[in-house]
Amino acid sequence: MTRPYAHRIVCLTEETTETLYLLGEEARIVGISGFTVRPARARKEKPKVSAFTSAKIDRILALRPDLVLGFSDLQADIAAALIREGIEVHVFNHRSIEGIFRMMRTVGALVGALDKAEGLCGELRLQMTAIQEAAALLPRRPRVYFEEWDEPLITGIQWVSELIDVAGGVDCFAEQARAPLGKDRIIADPERVIAAAPDIIIGSWCGKRFAPERVVARDGWQALPAVRSGFVEEIKSPMILQPGPAALSDGLAALHAIIRRWSNEVAHG
């Protein structure tokens, strides 16, 4: 029987897996990334067939997918290998909040659940609006330095920068955040961070535990407002660096909670 929509889907990154679960379409998923943590049940229910820049092509082919979903140029080689095997592949390459919404609507359309995807996007937009309105009431917008990696220093990607703004902060490196590639978001000279004088430092080192004690020990950083007030915080990378529903829900909420606490303890102090 010919099926009008994709029925056997392999998700090479977490955000499409989470989206399909939120849409109630998880039965279509036959394989996921080994880095998937959201939702937690996916790790128990679905075979893990890929990392981020590598994949078990033979295992994917054995699952007989009719669609593989990937993300970014870093998965181009995986996509090419699967395409040569006759597999249909859709690789997202979004970097912004609106790109995340577009991804969710596209995933919905690919499985015949566009109405549900529109509903999910609407719910997330309402949550974002509520946080934005609460943030507008804060007495001052703190300057936020978001660190995605420490060796070398890499500042946050575009959707993170935009979420900082929604949450009530000002990204110290908002201009640099527009660069899609990590190499173009490197802060080669740590003096730039000192000059930016962030009120809050947020670390989210992709794939490893954030070490605030190493951050505050950097030369000259003891004088930063964020260090003096003790606002060197972590947001776990799966919550904020995954370009999907997690960033718009839990990631944004975590950002706003830190900014609100800073406002109560420092700005009002």
Side-chain angles (χ1 to χ4, degrees), residues 9 19-29 111-113 116:
I9 301 174
T19 298
L20 286 166
Y21 269 85
L22 288 172
L23 296 177
E25 300 290 338
E26 66 273 15
R28 299 175 186 270
I29 302 172
V111 298
K116 287 192 284 187

Side-chain angles (χ1 to χ4, degrees), residues 155-206:
T155 192
I157 200 165
Q158 184 176 347
W159 72 78
V160 172
S161 180
E162 293 172 347
L163 288 172
I164 289 170
D165 180 74
V166 173
V170 176
D171 179 13
C172 290
F173 298 101
E175 288 298 318
Q176 206 156 339
R178 295 195 181 99
L181 303 180
K183 67 181 180 65
D184 297 321
R185 289 182 280 110
I186 290 174
I187 307 294
D189 184 359
E191 288 289 332
R192 291 183 59 203
V193 181
I194 296 173
D199 299 296
I200 299 171
I201 295 172
I202 297 175
S204 188
W205 295 347
C206 190

Side-chain angles (χ1 to χ4, degrees), residues 15-74:
E15 66 278 355
T16 49
T17 296
E18 185 182 17
T19 298
L20 286 166
Y21 269 85
L22 288 172
L23 296 177
E25 300 290 338
E26 66 273 15
R28 299 175 186 270
I29 302 172
V30 296
I32 62 172
S33 162
F35 289 117
T36 300
V37 297
R38 295 173 63 100
R41 55 183 276 220
R43 293 187 64 82
K44 301 174 183 177
E45 297 174 346
K46 308 296 181 181
K48 293 175 277 293
V49 296
S50 70
F52 189 63
T53 58
S54 63
K56 299 170 182 175
I57 301 298
D58 289 345
R59 284 198 65 190
I60 293 174
L61 294 176
L63 292 169
R64 297 178 291 106
D66 50 20
L67 178 63
V68 173
L69 300 175
F71 173 71
S72 88
D73 55 296
L74 294 176

Side-chain angles (χ1 to χ4, degrees), residues 68-108:
V68 173
L69 300 175
F71 173 71
S72 88
D73 55 296
L74 294 176
Q75 294 193 327
D77 290 344
I78 302 171
L82 291 169
I83 290 167
R84 291 189 189 103
E85 296 289 342
I87 303 297
E88 186 171 332
V89 180
H90 186 107
V91 177
F92 293 96
N93 213 6
H94 53 290
R95 297 292 192 278
S96 65
I97 288 175
E98 287 307 315
I100 293 173
F101 281 123
R102 192 164 58 247
M103 177 275 293
M104 289 190 288
R105 288 194 297 268
T106 300
V107 169

